[in-house]
DNA sequence: GCCAACGTTGGC
DNA sequence: GCCAACGTTGGC
């Protein structure tokens, strides 16, 4: 079972929104980045666990845990001219964009902030967190793999 | 709201 | 195929 970290802006869709959904499940649509697309299309498996990260907010950080309940399938919002992330170059017979379904698992007892993760990564340059793309300068990936060691270390911070 | 970093687009 | 221009992300 693999682990991931997925970013979302809480103003648009936060962990509380996921928890409030019917079946506490939501398709992760709107991703229009090839690296992130590839991970959803090719690598994420049912049962994988996900750190839910809040970006573009006062104290960005990991706020909860979700799990993959449906593996990569075409993101149909790309076909809809009225949708926010419509992409005319995505052909329904050869879809360009994919998504997975995520199900809410739980909130963390506290937010593990980006500041904290960065500080730990710097304090221990040989430790697991130093390699987490999230704490690297200029990182813009909205979906990234999390190693077993990173997952365990971060959960221990809770 | 600013702006650094980085991905994408399109002219050539 | 190069690379300048442009758009987006996301921390601060």
């Amino acid at each position: 079972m693999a682990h991931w970290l997925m970013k979302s802006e809480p103003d648009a869709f936060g962990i509380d929104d996921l928890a409030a959904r019917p079946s506490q499940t939501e398709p992760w649509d709107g991703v229009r980045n090839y690296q992130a697309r590839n991970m959803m299309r090719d690598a994420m498996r049912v049962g994988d666990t996900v750190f839910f990260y809040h970006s573009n907010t006062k104290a960005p950080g990991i706020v909860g845990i979700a799990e993959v309940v449906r593996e990569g399938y075409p993101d149909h919002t790309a076909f809809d001219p009225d949708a926010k992330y419509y992409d005319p170059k995505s052909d329904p017979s050869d879809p360009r964009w994919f998504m997975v379904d995520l199900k809410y698992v739980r909130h963390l007892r506290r937010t593990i902030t980006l500041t904290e993760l960065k500080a730990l990564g710097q304090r221990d340059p040989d430790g697991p967190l130093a390699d987490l793309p999230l704490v690297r300068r200029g990182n813009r990936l909205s979906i990234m793999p999390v190693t077993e060691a990173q997952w365990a270390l971060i959960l221990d911070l809770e």
Side-chain angles (χ1 to χ4, degrees), chain A residues 55-123:
Chain A
S55 66
N56 243 315
T57 184
K58 226 174 187 178
I62 298 166
V63 294
I65 296 174
E67 68 171 315
V68 178
V69 292
R70 182 174 175 188
E71 293 176 11
Y73 62 106
D75 180 349
H76 53 77
T77 66
F79 311 139
D80 176 3
D82 296 327
K84 186 174 176 193
Y85 295 104
Y86 173 56
D87 181 357
K89 289 182 237 169
S90 187
D91 180 343
S93 68
D94 182 20
R96 175 174 298 203
W97 304 113
F98 285 73
M99 58 189 178
V100 298
D101 286 356
L102 287 192
K103 184 178 169 73
Y104 173 82
V105 173
R106 67 177 179 90
H107 280 66
L108 295 189
R109 288 188 287 277
R110 67 179 189 89
T111 299
I112 313 289
T113 65
L114 177 63
T115 310
E116 186 177 356
L117 294 169
K118 273 185 171 167
L120 285 171
Q122 281 166 13
R123 191 177 310 159

